[in-house]
């Protein structure tokens, strides 16, 4: 089975997730859209056994592509090129997640939303929750971090029997070696 995972960047904890996925699927492709983060030191320095496809290098060029429609075209083109058996998108609000959902729905490719959102992690409005429910309920399944995340995506319309736990993962070795370096150089 070939899976495509969409993410904005590959940090050490994303890398751990993708390495885990590579142990369960024949082919894992990761489509990284922004390739930059607020904390560059958290970006992965080495990658696991999966195929990484980078679209843009930085938030400014990414936002330009979002605004002119290029991002949706590029995501769709990359999905067609990879021909995944399933698509997993990090979250439901990113333009690339919506493009992947649209492609999957239109072409019969199962879509999975990956989420760590929960009902009490921010202010909620009735209208925004209705819009979220409209979008989230169109995904075929969800991979979430824990029980409260499962409760939330269930309330947004994904049936319980299609919600799976296991989204939270970190690359322990990366953080352990960073901790040793910090202790050795306390200044």
């Amino acid at each position: 089975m070939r899976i495509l995972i969409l993410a904005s960047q590959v940090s050490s904890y994303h890398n751990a997730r993708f390495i885990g996925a590579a142990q369960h699927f024949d082919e894992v492709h990761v489509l990284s859209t922004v390739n930059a983060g607020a904390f560059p030191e958290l970006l992965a320095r080495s990658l696991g056994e999966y195929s990484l496809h980078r679209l843009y290098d930085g938030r400014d060029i990414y936002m330009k592509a979002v605004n002119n429609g290029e991002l949706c075209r590029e995501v769709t083109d990359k999905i067609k090129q990879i021909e995944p058996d399933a698509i997993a998108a990090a979250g439901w609000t990113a333009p690339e997640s919506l493009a992947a959902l649209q492609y999957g729905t239109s072409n019969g490719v199962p879509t999975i939303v990956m989420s760590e959102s929960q009902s009490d992690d921010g202010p909620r409005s009735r209208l925004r929750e209705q819009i979220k429910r409209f979008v989230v309920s169109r995904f075929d399944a969800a991979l979430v971090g824990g029980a409260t995340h499962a409760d939330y995506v269930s309330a947004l319309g994904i049936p319980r029997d299609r919600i799976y736990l296991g989204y939270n993962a970190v690359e322990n070795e990366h953080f352990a070696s960073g901790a040793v370096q910090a202790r050795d150089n306390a200044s």
Side-chain angles (χ1 to χ4, degrees):
M1 181 173 197
R2 180 182 306 127
I3 188 163
L4 171 62
I5 304 170
L6 284 89
S8 59
Q9 76 272 340
V10 179
S11 68
S12 294
Y13 72 91
H14 292 115
N15 188 50
R17 292 172 179 174
F18 305 150
I19 290 170
Q23 295 171 2
H24 297 282
F25 296 98
D26 298 321
E27 284 183 48
V28 173
H29 293 262
V30 175
L31 180 57
S32 180
T33 55
V34 181
N35 296 296
F39 301 99
E41 60 275 11
L42 295 182
L43 296 177
R45 291 177 182 23
S46 62
L47 303 175
E49 297 295 318
Y50 56 87
S51 298
L52 178 62
H53 310 268
R54 296 177 189 264
L55 283 188
Y56 305 104
D57 288 317
R59 190 131 195 89
D60 292 340
I61 192 165
Y62 166 82
M63 288 308 298
K64 182 178 177 184
V66 168
N67 292 332
N68 68 22
E70 179 184 323
L71 174 80
C72 289
R73 286 189 299 277
E74 292 231 14
V75 167
T76 299
D77 289 347
K78 190 55 77 172
I79 294 171
K80 287 178 184 177
Q81 177 188 350
I82 294 170
E83 298 181 327
D85 297 306
I87 303 168
W92 51 72
T93 60
E96 55 268 27
S97 296
L98 298 174
L101 177 60
Q102 173 63 39
Y103 182 90
T105 302
S106 298
N107 294 283
V109 179
T111 55
I112 304 149
V113 64
M114 301 180 296
S115 175
E116 294 174 320
S117 292
Q118 49 195 348
S119 63
D120 63 355
D121 61 7
R124 303 280 178 229
S125 77
R126 177 176 237 150
L127 177 60
R128 287 186 74 195
E129 294 304 295
Q130 288 175 337
I131 292 168
K132 279 186 215 175
R133 184 173 173 75
F134 177 80
V135 172
V136 173
S137 65
R138 278 149 180 76
F139 283 93
D140 296 297
L143 176 62
V144 299
T148 58
H149 311 122
D151 291 343
Y152 190 45
V153 296
S154 175
L156 293 174
I158 297 184
R160 283 280 181 177
D161 64 336
R162 294 182 180 181
I163 300 172
Y164 302 89
L165 302 180
Y167 188 45
N168 290 338
V170 296
E171 187 179 8
N172 290 328
E173 186 176 318
H174 168 80
F175 291 102
S177 92
V180 168
Q181 290 173 6
R183 283 187 205 102
D184 290 345
N185 187 8
S187 62

